[in-house]
Amino acid sequence: MEIIVDQANGQLPVTILKLRGDLDASNFETVIAKAKELYEMGTRRMVIDFSQVPFMGSSGLVALHSIALMMRGESGINLEAGWQAFRSLEHTQEEGAQQYVKLLNPQPRVSRTLELTGMNAFFEVHTDLETAVFSFR
Amino acid sequence: MGVHLLQLAAHLDELVPLRCFVEEKTTDLQIAADKIHDILLSVDELVTNIILHGYRGREGSIEIQLELQGDSLIVFLRDQAPLFDPTQVPPPDITLPLEKRPIGGMGIHLARHLMDEMQYRVTSSGGNELILVKRNVLPYKAQRLE
């Protein structure tokens, strides 16, 4: 898994996390660690670019959720928590999709994993980087 | 002709070769693309569980067998980790309060949802064997028969 970080300015500053490679149990903690590093450097809004992620397992969902909680200032989830992670999303669901992490260009297999678990309800998906960056208000 | 076997070390680095194997063999078997993803995700989740929760960092191996029977794909996952029957894991109950929720089980739940059948048995050598079935994987063949 290669992770490339970029910055963009829409109405607000946004960090772009571009992932390259499959996102699975072997590397999801690396993605969380990178997001934590960026959070500590001041990042509060993030676009995660999935254009070059052919596959994502449930570990990837844990990473996404953990990063979304982190960006809104909550502590990350217990990585061993499994379905508990989804439970803690319930109050997020009441508010609609969270506004801190947005996804760019998930490929069909990644979209399917998001849909199967209902995680697509919590993340805005964009197909264009500029639109994604300017969607933060 | 329709049987393919792979043996992997119980290590997370082996997930990429695992997925390559499943993708390549199911493509060779002319399985429909959407079914390939379901099989790929299920096998990835269950093998991840065997590595993380079965072997728990200990050395070991996992055998994956793909077998086409009629228009069904049968996946056998065999390991020598401590005996564990994932078919007995209850489905997540979303009505339970957080503190009573079972820990983990996401991968098993996904596999149950994506595959048509899941059976468990203890092998003659005392290991775990999980048998997954995905039916109607050959839409093109079915179309030709119509």
Side-chain angles (χ1 to χ4, degrees):
Chain A
M1 164 68 65
E2 187 182 356
I3 305 173
I4 299 164
V5 179
D6 203 355
Q7 302 292 333
N9 281 306
Q11 296 184 43
L12 296 166
V14 177
T15 298
I16 299 151
L17 199 67
K18 188 176 180 65
L19 308 179
R20 283 187 182 162
D22 290 354
L23 179 52
D24 64 14
S26 71
N27 55 27
F28 78 106
E29 288 174 288
T30 308
V31 177
I32 295 173
K34 174 55 79 174
K36 188 166 188 286
E37 181 188 318
L38 293 165
Y39 181 80
E40 286 167 356
M41 291 166 64
T43 290
R44 294 295 181 268
R45 293 161 211 88
M46 188 176 278
V47 171
I48 304 181
D49 185 346
F50 273 91
S51 308
Q52 295 183 57
V53 179
F55 174 87
M56 179 175 74
S58 63
S59 306
L61 301 173
V62 174
L64 284 183
H65 181 215
S66 190
I67 294 169
L69 290 182
M70 193 190 301
M71 289 300 138
R72 72 178 187 193
E74 295 181 27
S75 58
I77 58 172
N78 177 352
L79 299 183
E80 291 293 318
W83 280 98
Q84 290 188 2
F86 292 88
R87 169 71 181 180
S88 64
L89 272 172
E90 286 177 10
H91 74 278
T92 310
Q93 190 172 23
E94 290 162 9
E95 301 160 8
Q98 50 73 40
Q99 295 298 309
Y100 304 88
V101 177
K102 305 192 182 188
L103 310 183
L104 179 65
N105 276 328
Q107 300 304 294
R109 286 180 172 181
V110 172
S111 294
R112 168 103 169 120
T113 304
L114 289 165
E115 287 162 14
L116 280 167
T117 54
M119 287 287 274
N120 54 335
F122 308 115
F123 292 93
E124 263 184 44
V125 172
H126 295 270
T127 55
D128 171 75
L129 178 59
E130 193 178 347
T131 311
V133 168
F134 276 88
S135 69
F136 290 95
R137 290 178 186 142
Chain B
M1 65 172 211
V3 178
H4 301 279
L5 202 62
L6 175 72
Q7 194 136 13
L8 294 173
H11 194 280
L12 292 174
D13 286 348
E14 299 279 31
L15 291 174
V16 171
L18 166 72
R19 291 194 296 269
C20 288
F21 168 78
V22 173
E23 177 106 48
E24 183 187 321
K25 298 309 175 192
T26 51
T27 302
D28 288 349
L29 293 167
Q30 296 184 302
I31 290 172
D34 58 330
K35 310 267 178 170
I36 290 178
H37 176 254
D38 291 354
I39 295 160
L40 197 60
L41 185 56
S42 301
V43 172
D44 179 86
E45 295 289 342
L46 293 167
V47 170
T48 296
N49 280 353
I50 294 168
I51 295 169
L52 293 179
H53 306 300
Y55 284 111
R56 295 173 179 263
R58 291 189 295 270
E59 293 293 317
S61 66
I62 303 167
E63 188 177 89
I64 299 98
Q65 181 179 325
L66 304 180
E67 190 173 327
L68 192 62
Q69 292 181 10
D71 66 350
S72 294
L73 185 82
I74 321 294
V75 182
F76 299 87
L77 303 178
R78 302 183 187 101
D79 66 76
Q80 295 294 325
L83 296 181
F84 175 69
D85 180 358
T87 66
Q88 297 304 306
V89 174
D93 182 351
I94 58 168
T95 64
L96 284 176
L98 178 61
E99 63 276 11
K100 291 185 179 174
R101 275 299 171 89
I103 303 293
M106 200 163 17
I108 293 169
H109 175 72
L110 271 173
R112 263 198 197 124
H113 179 75
L114 293 171
M115 303 299 281
D116 294 308
E117 209 175 305
M118 189 189 291
Q119 296 170 21
Y120 171 83
R121 69 183 178 201
V122 178
T123 64
S124 55
S125 61
N128 296 292
E129 183 177 60
L130 195 59
I131 304 158
L132 312 168
V133 180
K134 185 76 173 172
R135 297 195 188 93
N136 303 317
V137 294
L138 299 175
Y140 302 116
K141 183 181 176 186
Q143 283 169 16
R144 281 200 300 272
L145 290 173
E146 283 173 358

